[in-house]
Amino acid sequence: MKLKNANKGTVIFTIVIILTLASGTFSLVKGRGAGSSSNDVKPKAEFKATEKKQGSFIKALEKNTRTKSPKGSYIARIEITGTITDAGDTYNQKWILEKIKELKEDKNNKGIILSILSPGGGLYEADETYLSLMDYKKCTSRPIYTYCKNLCASGGYYIACSSDYIMANRNSLVGSIGVICGQFVDISELMEKHGIKMKTIHSGRNKIMGAVNEPLTKEQEMIMQSICDEGYDSFVEVVSNGRGLTKEQVVELADGRIYTAKQSMENRLIDSIGSMEDLEDAMKRKAFDFEDYEVIDYSYTKPENLYNIFMGAAKQFSRCSFGNALLPKAVEDRLENRIEFPAYYCDLFN
């Protein structure tokens, strides 16, 4: 019965993918044809980052485009959306680092607005982006202002602390200052009960700590906790430096919880509450003495290629009521949004 269901799922999944690929390829070709018209030039600056994929056919379809830089001085608004990871659907680490570097070297750029909607993500990626933004400020003496949208948590807030001014929407959730260093499951007793034996040949008593067939020892818990504590100390220091709070004040707030916009303002995690337009006005008033600059939007867009069309169709299929049960295991595993630990990540709404 299970075999029949699996086969049925594979057939249905294949049909859905074929139809989606046909539709997606048509849209891809149609979109590029339309894009050749001179009437389609838009003032909004956009850069479509490409990812390296195996196979010359897929590579040939990948597109790397960028509209011309604005004429004259401007403020760049960078969208930081979704899980902060190396290469996701809405966030790409290579793209954002290249964009910050590009802005740093552009004399027409007068500042950056960060528009953040993120639960956080990898400790490494969040810190790398934070350091890149701090380098931008150091080398250019230009301001960075941040707007917190629905959620600006953990690694998202970590990045926000690079800015000179933080404003949140009145319904924003902010904070989640803390670290996740890993999740371990011990099924050794369950395996023993059912007569399942598993042995991993290894050297070094802590080499396979966290394995499902071996309970975590006290020493191993201390090892992981020490890693977690270092990440936590870094987070506290970043908030302390960015928000002008003592480390003791930050520690009182940094128990991993999220705060409403009002609570965040009372605790000095943000500067004010308002809309994106309010933030632009505040930046114009405080940083530029009322001088007006054009605001240009930059956001990461995954390249249009057959691989991404395929994976997009698979994700839509997995959300169907019967999709999860019928989706081939290999594809299901590939769709999972994996967070690299240790992480500055808020798992509250997932």
Side-chain angles (χ1 to χ4, degrees), residues 25 37 88 97 100-101 117 138 142 148 152 160 171 203 250 259 297 302 305 339:
T25 304
S37 171
L97 294 179
I100 295 167
K101 181 181 178 182
L117 172 54
K138 180 180 178 181
R142 300 173 200 158
C148 303
C152 181
N171 294 310
S203 57
V250 177
Y259 296 91
D297 291 307
K302 288 191 78 168
N305 57 49
I339 305 296

Side-chain angles (χ1 to χ4, degrees), residues 138-152:
K138 180 180 178 181
C139 294
T140 66
S141 299
R142 300 173 200 158
I144 297 176
Y145 277 44
T146 289
Y147 186 71
C148 303
K149 299 170 84 171
N150 310 41
L151 182 65
C152 181

Side-chain angles (χ1 to χ4, degrees), residues 330-344:
V331 177
E332 191 176 337
D333 290 344
R334 182 66 182 85
L335 292 176
E336 288 184 11
N337 191 17
R338 300 184 184 278
I339 305 296
E340 297 292 333
F341 294 113
Y344 297 134

Side-chain angles (χ1 to χ4, degrees), residues 84-139:
I84 298 166
T85 186
D86 184 56
D89 289 341
T90 56
Y91 181 95
N92 183 283
Q93 188 69 7
K94 182 180 179 182
W95 176 84
I96 197 166
L97 294 179
E98 288 180 349
K99 178 54 61 183
I100 295 167
K101 181 181 178 182
E102 179 185 314
L103 294 171
K104 181 177 72 172
E105 296 170 353
D106 186 354
K107 293 182 179 179
N108 286 329
N109 171 254
K110 297 301 178 183
I112 291 175
I113 293 175
L114 300 175
S115 178
I116 302 179
L117 172 54
S118 174
L123 181 152
Y124 178 87
E125 288 82 7
D127 187 57
E128 191 176 41
T129 300
Y130 167 83
L131 291 174
S132 181
L133 289 164
M134 294 300 289
D135 178 66
Y136 166 90
K137 289 206 303 182
K138 180 180 178 181
C139 294

Side-chain angles (χ1 to χ4, degrees), residues 15-32:
I15 293 172
V16 172
I17 292 301
I18 291 172
L19 292 174
T20 306
L21 286 176
S23 174
T25 304
F26 175 74
S27 299
L28 189 75
V29 174
K30 183 180 178 183
R32 291 185 179 183

Side-chain angles (χ1 to χ4, degrees), residues 40-46 67-70 294-298:
D40 289 336
V41 178
K42 298 180 181 180
K44 181 179 178 181
E46 182 179 359
T67 59
K68 292 182 179 179
S69 296
E294 182 182 12
V295 177
I296 304 297
D297 291 307
Y298 295 92

